[in-house]
Amino acid sequence: MTEQRNQLAALFAACWKDEALKARFMTDPKAVLAEYGIDVPANINVNVVESSDNTVHITMPQAPDGGADVTVEDL
């Protein structure tokens, strides 16, 4: 997992420096991820959104099986 985080960090840094790369990442994330050594299975969709000074995006994880019965202590 650490290697994948490092690959993502490198990609983010590259996007901050290169607007064309960032635009491609926003429109075709799977292709750009593959270029950075991160393969995404064909059945998985990837959406990239950019936070700004006044907007933060939070991804709500999918509930696990039996999620309605999960307690705070279980987490």
Coordinates of all heavy atoms in Angstrom, one line a residue:
M1 N 0.8 -1.2 0.0 CA 0.0 0.0 0.0 C 0.9 1.3 0.0 O 0.5 2.2 -0.6 CB -0.9 0.0 1.2 CG -2.0 1.0 1.2 SD -3.1 0.8 -0.2 CE -4.6 1.5 0.4
T2 N 2.0 1.2 0.7 CA 2.9 2.4 0.7 C 3.4 2.7 -0.7 O 3.5 3.9 -1.0 CB 4.1 2.1 1.7 OG1 3.5 1.9 3.0 CG2 5.0 3.3 1.7
E3 N 3.7 1.7 -1.5 CA 4.2 2.0 -2.8 C 3.1 2.7 -3.6 O 3.4 3.7 -4.4 CB 4.6 0.7 -3.5 CG 5.2 1.0 -4.9 CD 5.7 -0.3 -5.6 OE1 5.9 -1.3 -4.9 OE2 5.8 -0.2 -6.8
Q4 N 1.9 2.2 -3.5 CA 0.8 2.9 -4.2 C 0.6 4.3 -3.8 O 0.4 5.2 -4.6 CB -0.5 2.1 -4.1 CG -1.6 2.6 -5.0 CD -2.8 1.7 -4.9 OE1 -3.3 1.3 -3.9 NE2 -3.4 1.4 -6.1
R5 N 0.7 4.6 -2.5 CA 0.6 6.0 -2.0 C 1.7 6.8 -2.6 O 1.5 8.0 -2.9 CB 0.7 6.0 -0.4 CG -0.6 5.7 0.2 CD -0.5 6.0 1.7 NE -1.2 4.9 2.4 CZ -1.0 4.6 3.6 NH1 -0.1 5.2 4.3 NH2 -1.6 3.6 4.2
N6 N 2.9 6.3 -2.6 CA 4.0 7.0 -3.2 C 3.8 7.3 -4.7 O 4.1 8.4 -5.2 CB 5.4 6.3 -3.0 CG 5.8 6.2 -1.6 OD1 5.4 7.0 -0.8 ND2 6.7 5.2 -1.3
Q7 N 3.2 6.3 -5.4 CA 2.9 6.6 -6.8 C 1.8 7.6 -7.0 O 2.0 8.5 -7.9 CB 2.4 5.2 -7.5 CG 3.5 4.2 -7.6 CD 3.0 2.8 -7.9 OE1 2.1 2.3 -7.1 NE2 3.5 2.2 -8.9
L8 N 0.8 7.6 -6.1 CA -0.2 8.7 -6.2 C 0.4 10.0 -5.8 O 0.0 11.0 -6.5 CB -1.4 8.3 -5.2 CG -2.4 7.3 -5.7 CD1 -3.4 7.0 -4.6 CD2 -3.1 7.9 -6.9
A9 N 1.2 10.1 -4.8 CA 1.9 11.3 -4.4 C 2.7 11.9 -5.6 O 2.6 13.1 -5.9 CB 2.7 11.2 -3.2
A10 N 3.4 11.0 -6.3 CA 4.2 11.5 -7.5 C 3.3 12.0 -8.6 O 3.5 13.0 -9.2 CB 5.1 10.3 -8.0
L11 N 2.1 11.3 -8.8 CA 1.2 11.8 -9.8 C 0.6 13.1 -9.4 O 0.5 14.0 -10.2 CB 0.1 10.7 -10.0 CG -1.1 11.1 -10.8 CD1 -0.6 11.5 -12.2 CD2 -2.1 9.9 -10.9
F12 N 0.2 13.3 -8.2 CA -0.4 14.6 -7.7 C 0.6 15.7 -7.9 O 0.3 16.8 -8.4 CB -0.9 14.5 -6.3 CG -2.0 13.6 -6.0 CD1 -2.2 13.0 -4.8 CD2 -2.9 13.2 -7.0 CE1 -3.2 12.1 -4.5 CE2 -4.0 12.4 -6.8 CZ -4.1 11.8 -5.5
A13 N 1.9 15.5 -7.5 CA 2.9 16.5 -7.7 C 3.1 16.8 -9.2 O 3.2 18.0 -9.5 CB 4.2 16.0 -7.1
A14 N 3.1 15.8 -10.0 CA 3.2 16.0 -11.4 C 2.0 16.9 -12.0 O 2.2 17.7 -12.8 CB 3.4 14.7 -12.2
C15 N 0.8 16.6 -11.5 CA -0.4 17.3 -11.9 C -0.3 18.8 -11.5 O -0.8 19.6 -12.2 CB -1.6 16.6 -11.4 SG -2.1 15.1 -12.2
W16 N 0.2 19.0 -10.3 CA 0.4 20.4 -9.9 C 1.3 21.2 -10.8 O 1.2 22.4 -10.9 CB 0.8 20.5 -8.4 CG -0.1 19.9 -7.4 CD1 -1.5 19.9 -7.6 CD2 0.2 19.3 -6.2 NE1 -2.1 19.3 -6.5 CE2 -1.1 18.9 -5.6 CE3 1.3 19.0 -5.5 CZ2 -1.1 18.2 -4.4 CZ3 1.3 18.4 -4.3 CH2 0.0 18.0 -3.7
K17 N 2.3 20.5 -11.4 CA 3.3 21.2 -12.2 C 2.8 21.2 -13.7 O 3.4 22.1 -14.4 CB 4.6 20.5 -12.1 CG 5.2 20.5 -10.7 CD 6.5 19.7 -10.7 CE 7.0 19.6 -9.3 NZ 8.2 18.7 -9.2
D18 N 1.9 20.4 -14.1 CA 1.6 20.2 -15.5 C 0.1 20.2 -15.7 O -0.6 19.2 -15.5 CB 2.3 18.9 -16.0 CG 2.1 18.6 -17.5 OD1 1.2 19.3 -18.1 OD2 2.8 17.7 -18.0
E19 N -0.4 21.3 -16.2 CA -1.9 21.5 -16.3 C -2.4 20.5 -17.4 O -3.5 20.0 -17.2 CB -2.2 22.9 -16.7 CG -2.1 23.9 -15.6 CD -3.2 23.7 -14.5 OE1 -4.3 23.3 -14.8 OE2 -2.9 23.8 -13.3
A20 N -1.7 20.2 -18.4 CA -2.1 19.2 -19.4 C -2.3 17.8 -18.8 O -3.2 17.1 -19.1 CB -1.2 19.2 -20.6
L21 N -1.3 17.4 -18.0 CA -1.4 16.1 -17.3 C -2.6 16.1 -16.4 O -3.4 15.2 -16.4 CB -0.1 15.8 -16.5 CG -0.2 14.6 -15.7 CD1 -0.4 13.3 -16.5 CD2 1.1 14.5 -14.8
K22 N -2.8 17.2 -15.7 CA -3.9 17.3 -14.7 C -5.2 17.2 -15.5 O -6.1 16.4 -15.1 CB -3.9 18.6 -14.0 CG -5.0 18.7 -13.0 CD -4.8 20.0 -12.1 CE -5.9 20.9 -12.3 NZ -5.8 22.1 -11.5
A23 N -5.3 17.8 -16.6 CA -6.6 17.8 -17.5 C -6.8 16.3 -17.9 O -7.9 15.8 -17.9 CB -6.5 18.7 -18.6
R24 N -5.7 15.6 -18.4 CA -5.9 14.2 -18.8 C -6.3 13.4 -17.6 O -7.1 12.5 -17.8 CB -4.6 13.7 -19.4 CG -4.3 14.1 -20.8 CD -3.2 13.4 -21.5 NE -2.0 13.1 -20.7 CZ -1.7 11.9 -20.3 NH1 -2.4 10.8 -20.6 NH2 -0.5 11.7 -19.6
F25 N -5.7 13.6 -16.4 CA -6.0 12.8 -15.3 C -7.5 13.0 -14.9 O -8.2 12.1 -14.5 CB -5.1 13.2 -14.1 CG -5.3 12.4 -12.9 CD1 -5.4 11.0 -12.9 CD2 -5.3 13.0 -11.6 CE1 -5.5 10.3 -11.7 CE2 -5.4 12.3 -10.5 CZ -5.6 10.9 -10.5
M26 N -8.0 14.2 -15.0 CA -9.4 14.5 -14.7 C -10.3 13.8 -15.7 O -11.4 13.4 -15.3 CB -9.7 16.0 -14.7 CG -8.8 16.8 -13.7 SD -9.2 16.6 -12.0 CE -10.8 17.4 -11.9
T27 N -9.9 13.7 -17.0 CA -10.8 13.2 -18.0 C -10.6 11.7 -18.3 O -11.6 11.0 -18.7 CB -10.7 13.9 -19.3 OG1 -9.4 13.8 -19.8 CG2 -11.1 15.4 -19.2
D28 N -9.4 11.2 -18.0 CA -9.1 9.7 -18.3 C -8.2 9.2 -17.2 O -7.1 8.8 -17.4 CB -8.4 9.6 -19.7 CG -8.3 8.2 -20.2 OD1 -8.9 7.3 -19.5 OD2 -7.7 7.9 -21.2
P29 N -8.7 9.1 -16.0 CA -7.9 8.8 -14.8 C -7.3 7.4 -14.9 O -6.1 7.2 -14.5 CB -8.8 8.9 -13.6 CG -10.2 8.9 -14.2 CD -10.1 9.4 -15.6
K30 N -8.0 6.4 -15.5 CA -7.4 5.1 -15.5 C -6.2 5.0 -16.4 O -5.2 4.3 -16.1 CB -8.5 4.1 -16.0 CG -9.5 3.8 -14.9 CD -10.7 3.0 -15.4 CE -10.3 1.5 -15.3 NZ -11.5 0.7 -15.6
A31 N -6.2 5.7 -17.5 CA -5.0 5.7 -18.4 C -3.8 6.4 -17.7 O -2.7 5.9 -17.8 CB -5.3 6.5 -19.7
V32 N -4.1 7.5 -17.0 CA -3.0 8.2 -16.4 C -2.5 7.4 -15.2 O -1.3 7.3 -14.9 CB -3.4 9.6 -15.9 CG1 -2.3 10.3 -15.1 CG2 -3.7 10.5 -17.2
L33 N -3.4 6.8 -14.4 CA -3.0 5.9 -13.3 C -2.1 4.8 -13.8 O -1.0 4.5 -13.2 CB -4.2 5.4 -12.6 CG -4.9 6.4 -11.7 CD1 -6.3 5.8 -11.3 CD2 -4.1 6.8 -10.5
A34 N -2.4 4.2 -14.9 CA -1.6 3.1 -15.5 C -0.2 3.6 -15.9 O 0.8 2.9 -15.7 CB -2.3 2.6 -16.7
E35 N -0.1 4.9 -16.4 CA 1.2 5.4 -16.7 C 2.0 5.6 -15.5 O 3.3 5.6 -15.6 CB 1.0 6.8 -17.3 CG 0.4 6.8 -18.7 CD 0.0 8.2 -19.2 OE1 0.5 9.2 -18.7 OE2 -0.8 8.3 -20.1
Y36 N 1.4 5.7 -14.3 CA 2.2 5.8 -13.1 C 2.2 4.5 -12.3 O 2.5 4.5 -11.1 CB 1.5 7.0 -12.2 CG 2.0 8.3 -12.7 CD1 1.5 8.9 -13.8 CD2 3.0 9.0 -12.0 CE1 2.0 10.1 -14.2 CE2 3.5 10.2 -12.4 CZ 3.0 10.8 -13.5 OH 3.5 12.0 -14.0
G37 N 2.0 3.4 -13.0 CA 2.1 2.1 -12.4 C 1.0 1.6 -11.5 O 1.2 0.7 -10.8
I38 N -0.1 2.3 -11.6 CA -1.3 1.9 -10.8 C -2.4 1.4 -11.8 O -3.0 2.1 -12.5 CB -1.8 3.1 -10.0 CG1 -0.7 3.7 -9.1 CG2 -3.0 2.7 -9.2 CD1 -1.1 5.0 -8.5
D39 N -2.5 0.1 -11.8 CA -3.5 -0.6 -12.7 C -4.8 -0.7 -11.9 O -4.9 -1.0 -10.8 CB -3.0 -2.0 -13.1 CG -1.8 -1.9 -14.0 OD1 -1.8 -1.0 -14.9 OD2 -0.9 -2.7 -13.8
V40 N -5.9 -0.3 -12.6 CA -7.2 -0.4 -12.1 C -8.0 -1.4 -12.9 O -8.0 -1.4 -14.1 CB -7.9 1.0 -12.2 CG1 -9.3 1.0 -11.7 CG2 -7.1 2.1 -11.5
P41 N -8.6 -2.4 -12.2 CA -9.4 -3.4 -12.9 C -10.4 -2.8 -13.8 O -11.0 -1.7 -13.5 CB -10.0 -4.2 -11.8 CG -9.2 -4.0 -10.6 CD -8.6 -2.6 -10.7
A42 N -10.7 -3.5 -14.9 CA -11.7 -3.0 -15.9 C -13.1 -2.7 -15.3 O -13.8 -1.8 -15.8 CB -11.7 -3.9 -17.1
N43 N -13.5 -3.5 -14.3 CA -14.8 -3.3 -13.8 C -14.9 -2.2 -12.7 O -15.9 -2.1 -12.1 CB -15.3 -4.7 -13.2 CG -14.5 -5.1 -12.0 OD1 -13.3 -4.8 -11.9 ND2 -15.1 -5.8 -11.1
I44 N -13.8 -1.5 -12.5 CA -13.8 -0.4 -11.5 C -13.8 0.9 -12.2 O -13.0 1.2 -13.1 CB -12.6 -0.5 -10.6 CG1 -12.5 -1.8 -9.8 CG2 -12.5 0.7 -9.6 CD1 -13.6 -2.0 -8.8
N45 N -14.7 1.8 -11.8 CA -14.8 3.2 -12.3 C -14.0 4.1 -11.4 O -13.9 3.9 -10.2 CB -16.2 3.7 -12.4 CG -17.1 2.9 -13.4 OD1 -16.6 2.6 -14.5 ND2 -18.3 2.6 -13.0
V46 N -13.3 5.1 -12.0 CA -12.5 6.0 -11.3 C -13.0 7.4 -11.6 O -13.1 7.8 -12.8 CB -11.0 5.9 -11.6 CG1 -10.2 7.0 -10.8 CG2 -10.5 4.5 -11.3
N47 N -13.3 8.2 -10.6 CA -13.7 9.6 -10.8 C -12.7 10.5 -10.0 O -12.4 10.2 -8.9 CB -15.1 9.9 -10.2 CG -16.2 9.1 -10.9 OD1 -16.2 9.1 -12.2 ND2 -17.0 8.5 -10.2
V48 N -12.2 11.5 -10.7 CA -11.2 12.4 -10.1 C -11.9 13.8 -9.9 O -12.5 14.3 -10.9 CB -10.0 12.6 -10.9 CG1 -9.0 13.6 -10.3 CG2 -9.3 11.2 -11.0
V49 N -11.9 14.3 -8.7 CA -12.4 15.6 -8.4 C -11.3 16.4 -7.7 O -10.5 15.8 -7.0 CB -13.7 15.6 -7.6 CG1 -14.9 15.0 -8.4 CG2 -13.5 14.9 -6.3
E50 N -11.3 17.7 -7.9 CA -10.3 18.5 -7.3 C -10.9 19.4 -6.2 O -11.9 20.1 -6.4 CB -9.6 19.4 -8.4 CG -8.5 20.2 -7.8 CD -7.8 21.1 -8.9 OE1 -8.4 21.3 -10.0 OE2 -6.7 21.5 -8.7
S51 N -10.2 19.3 -5.0 CA -10.6 20.2 -3.9 C -10.1 21.6 -4.3 O -9.2 21.8 -5.0 CB -10.1 19.7 -2.6 OG -10.6 18.5 -2.3
S52 N -10.8 22.6 -3.6 CA -10.3 24.0 -3.8 C -10.3 24.7 -2.4 O -10.5 24.0 -1.4 CB -11.3 24.8 -4.7 OG -12.6 24.9 -4.1
D53 N -10.0 26.0 -2.4 CA -9.9 26.7 -1.1 C -11.2 26.6 -0.4 O -11.2 26.6 0.9 CB -9.5 28.1 -1.4 CG -8.1 28.3 -1.8 OD1 -7.3 27.4 -1.6 OD2 -7.8 29.4 -2.4
N54 N -12.3 26.5 -1.1 CA -13.6 26.6 -0.3 C -14.5 25.4 -0.6 O -15.6 25.4 -0.2 CB -14.4 27.9 -0.7 CG -14.7 28.0 -2.2 OD1 -14.3 27.1 -3.0 ND2 -15.4 29.0 -2.5
T55 N -13.9 24.3 -1.2 CA -14.6 23.1 -1.4 C -13.8 21.9 -1.2 O -12.7 21.8 -1.7 CB -15.2 23.0 -2.9 OG1 -15.9 24.1 -3.2 CG2 -16.0 21.7 -3.1
V56 N -14.2 21.0 -0.3 CA -13.5 19.8 0.0 C -14.5 18.6 -0.4 O -15.7 18.7 0.0 CB -13.1 19.7 1.5 CG1 -12.5 18.4 1.8 CG2 -12.2 20.8 1.8
H57 N -14.0 17.6 -1.0 CA -14.8 16.4 -1.3 C -14.4 15.3 -0.4 O -13.3 15.0 -0.1 CB -14.4 16.0 -2.8 CG -14.7 17.0 -3.8 ND1 -16.0 17.2 -4.3 CD2 -14.0 18.0 -4.3 CE1 -16.0 18.2 -5.2 NE2 -14.7 18.7 -5.2
I58 N -15.5 14.7 0.2 CA -15.4 13.6 1.1 C -16.1 12.4 0.5 O -17.2 12.5 0.0 CB -16.0 13.9 2.5 CG1 -15.3 15.1 3.1 CG2 -15.9 12.7 3.4 CD1 -15.9 15.6 4.3
T59 N -15.4 11.3 0.4 CA -15.9 10.1 -0.2 C -16.5 9.2 1.0 O -15.8 8.9 1.9 CB -14.9 9.3 -0.9 OG1 -14.3 10.1 -2.0 CG2 -15.5 8.0 -1.5
M60 N -17.8 9.0 0.9 CA -18.4 8.1 1.8 C -18.2 6.7 1.4 O -18.6 6.3 0.3 CB -19.9 8.4 1.8 CG -20.8 7.5 2.7 SD -20.5 8.0 4.4 CE -21.7 6.9 5.2
P61 N -17.5 5.8 2.2 CA -17.3 4.5 1.8 C -18.6 3.7 1.8 O -19.6 4.0 2.4 CB -16.4 3.9 3.0 CG -16.0 5.1 3.8 CD -16.9 6.2 3.5
Q62 N -18.6 2.7 0.9 CA -19.7 1.8 0.8 C -19.8 1.0 2.2 O -18.8 0.6 2.7 CB -19.5 0.8 -0.3 CG -20.6 -0.2 -0.5 CD -20.4 -1.1 -1.7 OE1 -19.5 -0.9 -2.5 NE2 -21.2 -2.1 -1.8
A63 N -21.0 0.8 2.6 CA -21.3 0.1 3.9 C -20.9 -1.3 3.7 O -21.1 -2.0 2.7 CB -22.7 0.2 4.3
P64 N -20.2 -1.9 4.7 CA -19.9 -3.3 4.7 C -21.1 -4.2 4.8 O -22.2 -3.7 5.3 CB -18.9 -3.5 5.9 CG -19.3 -2.4 6.8 CD -19.8 -1.3 6.0
D65 N -21.0 -5.4 4.5 CA -22.2 -6.3 4.7 C -22.5 -6.3 6.2 O -21.6 -6.3 7.0 CB -21.8 -7.8 4.3 CG -21.7 -7.9 2.8 OD1 -22.2 -7.1 2.0 OD2 -21.0 -8.9 2.4
G66 N -23.8 -6.1 6.5 CA -24.2 -6.0 7.9 C -23.9 -4.6 8.4 O -23.8 -4.5 9.7
G67 N -23.6 -3.6 7.6 CA -23.2 -2.3 8.0 C -24.2 -1.7 9.0 O -23.8 -0.9 9.8
A68 N -25.5 -2.0 8.9 CA -26.4 -1.4 9.8 C -26.2 -1.9 11.2 O -26.6 -1.2 12.2 CB -27.8 -1.8 9.4
D69 N -25.5 -3.0 11.4 CA -25.2 -3.5 12.7 C -23.9 -3.2 13.3 O -23.5 -3.6 14.4 CB -25.4 -5.1 12.7 CG -26.8 -5.5 12.3 OD1 -27.7 -4.8 12.6 OD2 -26.9 -6.5 11.6
V70 N -23.1 -2.4 12.5 CA -21.7 -2.0 12.9 C -21.8 -1.0 14.0 O -22.5 0.0 13.9 CB -20.9 -1.5 11.8 CG1 -19.5 -1.0 12.2 CG2 -20.7 -2.6 10.7
T71 N -21.1 -1.2 15.1 CA -21.0 -0.2 16.2 C -19.7 0.6 16.1 O -18.8 0.2 15.4 CB -21.0 -0.9 17.6 OG1 -19.8 -1.7 17.7 CG2 -22.2 -1.8 17.7
V72 N -19.7 1.7 16.8 CA -18.5 2.5 16.8 C -17.3 1.7 17.4 O -16.2 1.8 16.9 CB -18.7 3.7 17.7 CG1 -17.4 4.5 17.9 CG2 -19.8 4.6 17.1
E73 N -17.5 0.8 18.3 CA -16.5 -0.1 18.9 C -15.9 -1.0 17.8 O -14.8 -1.3 17.8 CB -17.0 -0.8 20.1 CG -17.3 0.0 21.3 CD -18.6 0.8 21.2 OE1 -19.5 0.4 20.5 OE2 -18.7 1.8 21.9
D74 N -16.8 -1.5 16.9 CA -16.4 -2.4 15.8 C -15.4 -1.7 14.9 O -14.5 -2.3 14.3 CB -17.6 -2.9 15.0 CG -18.5 -3.9 15.8 OD1 -18.0 -4.5 16.8 OD2 -19.7 -4.0 15.5
L75 N -15.6 -0.4 14.7 CA -14.8 0.3 13.8 C -13.4 0.5 14.4 O -12.4 0.5 13.8 CB -15.4 1.7 13.5 CG -16.7 1.6 12.7 CD1 -17.3 3.0 12.6 CD2 -16.5 1.0 11.4

